[in-house]
Amino acid sequence: QPAMAAERSLAMATCTAPVNIAVIKYWGKRDTDLILPINSSLSVTLHQDQLKTTTTAAASRDFTEDRLWLNGKEADVGHPRVQACLREVRRLARKRRGGGEDAAALSLSYKIHIASENNFPTAAGLASSAAGYACLVSALARLYGLEEELSEVARRGSGSACRSMFGGFVQWQRGERPDGTDSLALQVAPETHWPELRVLVLVVSGEKKPVGSTAGMQTSVETSPLLKHRAEVVVPERLAQMLRHIQDRDFEGFGQLAMRDSNQFHATCLDTFPPIFYLTDVSRHIIALVHRYNAHHGHTKVAYSFDAGPNAVIFALADTVAEFVEVVRRSFPPATNGDQFVRGLPVGSAALSPELVAAVVTEPVPGAVQYILHTKPGPGPQLVDDPSQHLLGADGLPRSRA
Ligand code: DP6
């Protein structure tokens, strides 16, 4: 039992949570308040050694107001989605106590302080809301001693966040009920299921995306007939196929379907009126490069997926990474900091055959890819036991960061 007896003046819990990348995309809500999707989705949770959010939640009888700090800067704790998560966690905590006041339990009336930070630059445009809300809910749950499955609460922060509540391969079932109680994430296979699977994040831009996911998908729901067809007909079929490919560790099938689904998501964005564009010229260069690379080898060795931004997420098996990274380096010669071009898990060196270079490296664009992050599937949210890792000090305020 964590140390949070009511007589203690300060209780604190710290968790970390992962980023996830969907291979069957979520795009469109049937209920914008409860965040209920029009279709189920499926994602791969990425390893927290490379990409994670850390959140500390603290409660104290001495706090006079709820406060929130994101990456060291105070932010609006009144944000409706933050409030929805807080309210739901407190409601569950109250329910668990069966109405009666448990003397050992942390008082639910105490104000809370929350500090959250990412181990990757927010400006890189890597999806951070999924990890952020999954981490917020995990830390709050820990603070209040909740042990149940909380993807339903994380979903209230950001739809994709419910999938970051598990490691490995995760499905978000759309559910049928209007109250959302069956719109949950569940793990379909742990991260250990496919040990050879690797992920390369090609960071192409530091720019902020033009239209946020929330606003973008709402316009798509209102205007795109393709999105309606996708949700009703295409996704149910693809979801079943994707589950089989994952079960079979069939990279060809997995990779091809991931690319097709990413492409269809971006097609629904073009079908939205007025249209939304997340892919850039550099994104399209990467797409063409992947197809030339696979064509040269005669089968699908690498696959791309793009969310609501220009960065590419590449899937490959471990034995392909070194060669493909070299192909990317030749295709997008680093402008500066060439030594930091590849980050994350180590990447071996590879010599490219002249045939491969001639067939694949056809149109180099210097500087177009900032850097490559090499990672792999990883586990779900983690509790941080070491009190020296708390982001808030004994005074309940953010610790000065190193
Ligand atoms: C393109 O989960 O960010 O990344 O529910 O409005 O917070 P809200 O949207 P969000 O949308 C993610 C969309 C996507 C596809 C995906 O992750 O499935």
Side-chain angles (χ1 to χ4, degrees), residues 14-337:
T14 299
C15 289
T16 65
V19 166
N20 72 79
I21 174 84
V23 290
I24 300 293
K25 303 287 186 193
Y26 151 53
W27 194 252
K29 297 179 185 69
R30 61 182 201 274
D31 185 318
T32 52
D33 177 44
L34 293 175
I35 311 196
L36 302 179
I38 57 171
N39 60 261
S40 299
S41 55
L42 185 61
S43 59
V44 180
T45 295
L46 304 186
H47 206 288
Q48 293 171 59
D49 283 354
Q50 282 75 43
L51 296 168
K52 74 173 172 212
T53 298
T54 303
T55 300
T56 297
S60 169
R61 124 166 69 78
D62 302 330
F63 295 165
T64 55
E65 53 180 349
D66 290 341
R67 295 179 75 180
L68 170 69
W69 291 265
L70 299 179
N71 294 305
K73 278 182 60 185
E74 185 143 21
D76 178 18
V77 75
H79 191 290
R81 289 175 170 204
V82 173
Q83 286 298 318
C85 291
L86 250 170
R87 193 173 56 240
E88 289 305 302
V89 170
R90 283 175 168 151
R91 191 175 60 79
L92 290 170
R94 201 166 290 123
K95 196 168 109 190
R96 198 179 139 93
R97 290 169 200 179
E101 263 312 306
D102 177 349
L106 180 69
S107 170
L108 285 162
S109 60
Y110 288 174
K111 302 292 182 197
I112 58 153
H113 286 186
I114 300 158
S116 188
E117 57 185 49
N118 299 328
N119 70 344
F120 53 92
T122 315
L126 301 167
S128 58
S129 74
Y133 281 107
C135 207
L136 172 68
V137 170
S138 300
L140 288 172
R142 190 69 198 188
L143 187 69
Y144 293 117
L146 295 178
E147 272 146 30
E148 53 261 61
E149 196 275 293
L150 291 166
S151 71
E152 201 191 327
V153 180
R155 193 199 73 225
R156 300 294 300 273
S158 186
S160 54
C162 74
R163 299 186 313 238
S164 277
M165 296 300 280
F166 295 96
F169 302 83
V170 184
Q171 183 182 341
W172 173 15
Q173 317 188 120
R174 74 184 286 284
E176 300 300 329
R177 295 186 206 134
D179 67 357
T181 48
D182 57 352
S183 191
L184 310 165
L186 48 105
Q187 186 182 63
V188 299
E191 62 277 14
T192 50
H193 168 70
W194 201 345
E196 304 81 21
L197 192 62
R198 293 292 179 275
V199 176
L200 299 166
V201 183
L202 274 48
V203 178
V204 306
S205 167
E207 288 166 49
K208 276 211 114 177
K209 60 190 174 192
V211 184
S213 310
T214 307
M217 70 174 75
Q218 197 47 35
T219 313
S220 297
V221 168
E222 286 158 13
T223 62
S224 169
L226 175 58
L227 181 62
K228 187 169 152 56
H229 172 70
R230 165 178 168 74
E232 287 172 4
V233 179
V234 181
V235 168
E237 289 171 9
R238 285 188 174 173
L239 200 69
Q241 286 170 9
M242 190 58 100
L243 286 168
R244 273 199 304 277
H245 296 320
I246 291 168
Q247 227 55 65
D248 299 344
R249 291 183 280 266
D250 169 4
F251 187 82
E252 292 254 358
F254 171 85
Q256 275 185 33
L257 194 50
M259 291 190 281
R260 285 174 183 272
D261 204 69
S262 171
N263 293 343
Q264 188 175 73
F265 154 50
H266 291 279
T268 68
C269 291
L270 184 59
D271 193 44
T272 298
F273 197 81
I276 306 166
F277 303 96
Y278 291 119
L279 303 178
T280 62
D281 283 344
V282 182
S283 314
R284 283 184 285 273
H285 269 106
I286 295 167
I287 291 173
L289 178 69
V290 165
H291 287 289
R292 285 198 301 271
Y293 183 81
N294 288 337
H296 175 77
H297 284 291
H299 65 118
T300 300
K301 281 174 72 77
V302 293
Y304 53 77
S305 183
F306 295 85
D307 281 340
N311 296 325
V313 175
I314 303 287
F315 293 98
L317 296 179
D319 62 6
T320 304
V321 166
E323 186 182 79
F324 187 72
V325 163
E326 190 53 29
V327 164
V328 172
R329 197 198 303 272
R330 297 276 206 103
S331 303
F332 306 101
T336 49
N337 64 36

